[in-house]
């Protein structure tokens, strides 16, 4: 159970990790039971009890030192932004690798800790393993584990993935597949991309940045919310990346802030200034902070 000697922040991160894993299980269960006639973005909120805690990872998180600047934070100082099903449209369409569960933690308006669960991470490899078993074929390589949880705290780092970068000089843009319009198209074109990836889910797009599949996430639209960006922003910032609105302004996450990211999103692992400099004035004028 949670020891009182641990800081409020690290206890909350450990709790959020366990809740995100449980939420991922619920997401998978809904698909498995074939009940997608009505999709609600409301997963049950639960107290973190012993049954919910994944003991090994819980302990590993609590072993990590809390960054000094957050060591005296009180519960009432924190704001938690939750998206229980990021990539809802893709979820209903069977694009399961686009789906994430997002829990972001903010302090004084800044995103400082984040958890991203990918319920269907490795699901394609997992299905191949099942097919091999069904055919009684020899397994090629280790068993494919379904799902993973990435987490991070500013000043501590980000965990649960292998950081990779797009080759130097390559400009690969990841952007929306479901909210496309002229502003989005104009902004992406202005980046002079070598390739454009149109995928769902803000969490999924940030993961593309940290795993070397894309160099910039460009969303010139007011379509996403604070709960879409809080957790992913932390993971990106913890490894030296940057997430801002389309004007280059930091996003604010205090509890009174409006939920809509009305000035869009621009996120990069490296060279943020380059991409920010290429945003057309017409796009900036259309998206007011």
């Amino acid at each position: 159970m949670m020891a009182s000697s641990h800081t409020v922040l690290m206890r909350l991160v450990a709790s959020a990790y366990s809740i995100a894993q449980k939420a991922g299980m619920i997401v998978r269960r809904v698909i498995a039971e074939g009940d997608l006639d009505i999709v609600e973005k409301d997963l049950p909120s639960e107290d973190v009890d012993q049954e919910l805690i994944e003991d090994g990872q819980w302990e590993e998180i609590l072993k990590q030192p809390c960054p000094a600047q957050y060591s005296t934070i009180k519960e009432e100082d924190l704001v938690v932004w939750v998206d229980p099903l990021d990539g809802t449209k893709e979820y209903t369409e069977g694009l399961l690798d686009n789906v994430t569960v997002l829990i972001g933690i903010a302090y004084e308006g800044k995103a400082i800790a984040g958890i991203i669960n990918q319920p269907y991470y490795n699901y394609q490899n997992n299905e191949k393993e099942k097919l091999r078993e069904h055919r009684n074929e020899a397994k090629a390589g280790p068993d494919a584990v379904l799902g993973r949880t990435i987490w991070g705290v500013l000043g501590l780092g980000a965990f649960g993935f292998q950081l990779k970068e797009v080759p130097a000089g390559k400009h690969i843009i990841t952007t929306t597949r479901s909210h496309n319009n002229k502003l989005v198209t104009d902004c992406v074109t202005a980046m002079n991309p070598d390739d454009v990836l149109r995928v769902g889910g803000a969490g999924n797009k940030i993961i593309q940045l940290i795993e070397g599949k894309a160099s910039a996430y460009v969303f010139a639209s007011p379509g996403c919310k604070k709960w879409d960006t809080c957790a992913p922003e932390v993971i990106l910032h913890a490894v030296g990346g940057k997430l801002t609105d389309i004007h280059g302004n930091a996003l604010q996450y205090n509890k009174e802030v409006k939920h809509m990211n009305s000035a869009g999103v621009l996120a990069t692992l490296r060279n943020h200034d380059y991409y920010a400099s290429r945003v057309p004035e017409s796009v900036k004028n259309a998206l007011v902070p």
Side-chain angles (χ1 to χ4, degrees), residues 153-172:
V153 177
L154 289 191
L156 179 62
F159 309 88
F161 65 98
Q162 185 67 46
L163 182 66
K164 297 178 184 175
E165 297 187 33
V166 169
K170 277 279 190 182
H171 301 294
I172 302 173

Side-chain angles (χ1 to χ4, degrees), residues 53-64:
I53 294 169
E54 297 287 339
D55 283 333
Q57 189 58 42
W58 174 266
E59 292 172 0
E60 286 304 310
I61 291 174
L62 290 180
K63 284 178 185 176
Q64 298 283 350

Side-chain angles (χ1 to χ4, degrees), residues 11 17 26-27 35 52 75 95 105 121 135 147 153 177 182 205 226 232 238 254 264 286:
R11 283 189 285 135
Y17 184 101
I26 294 169
V27 169
D35 187 18
L52 189 57
E75 288 182 22
L95 299 171
I105 300 166
Y121 172 74
R135 292 175 175 173
V153 177
R177 67 177 290 271
K182 188 177 187 301
K205 295 183 188 74
K226 292 295 187 296
N254 56 69

Side-chain angles (χ1 to χ4, degrees), residues 29-62:
R29 189 173 68 213
V30 170
I31 288 283
E33 293 174 354
D35 187 18
L36 275 179
D37 293 333
I38 300 174
V39 175
E40 297 182 5
K41 290 188 67 165
D42 293 315
L43 295 175
S45 59
E46 315 183 28
D47 291 331
V48 181
D49 56 24
Q50 191 64 34
E51 181 182 353
L52 189 57
I53 294 169
E54 297 287 339
D55 283 333
Q57 189 58 42
W58 174 266
E59 292 172 0
E60 286 304 310
I61 291 174
L62 290 180

Side-chain angles (χ1 to χ4, degrees), residues 4 8 10 28 47 83 91 97 99 104 116 133 139 148 165 171 190 201-202 216 230 244 257 262 266 270:
S4 58
V8 167
M10 297 310 292
R28 289 193 296 268
D47 291 331
D83 190 342
Y91 184 61
D97 51 351
V99 175
I116 303 176
E133 286 180 8
K139 294 180 182 179
R148 70 171 171 179
E165 297 187 33
H171 301 294
C230 187
T244 66
V257 78
S262 56
L266 176 63
R270 304 285 181 258

Side-chain angles (χ1 to χ4, degrees), residues 13 43 65 70 74 81 83 99 110-111 123 131 153 173-174 216 219 222 224 252 255 257 266 268 270 289:
V13 170
L43 295 175
Y70 306 134
K74 298 180 176 62
W81 295 90
D83 190 342
V99 175
K110 183 178 181 181
Y123 87 101
L131 185 60
V153 177
I173 307 300
T174 184
F219 188 41
C224 76
Q252 296 298 310
K255 64 182 178 181
V257 78
L266 176 63
T268 60
R270 304 285 181 258

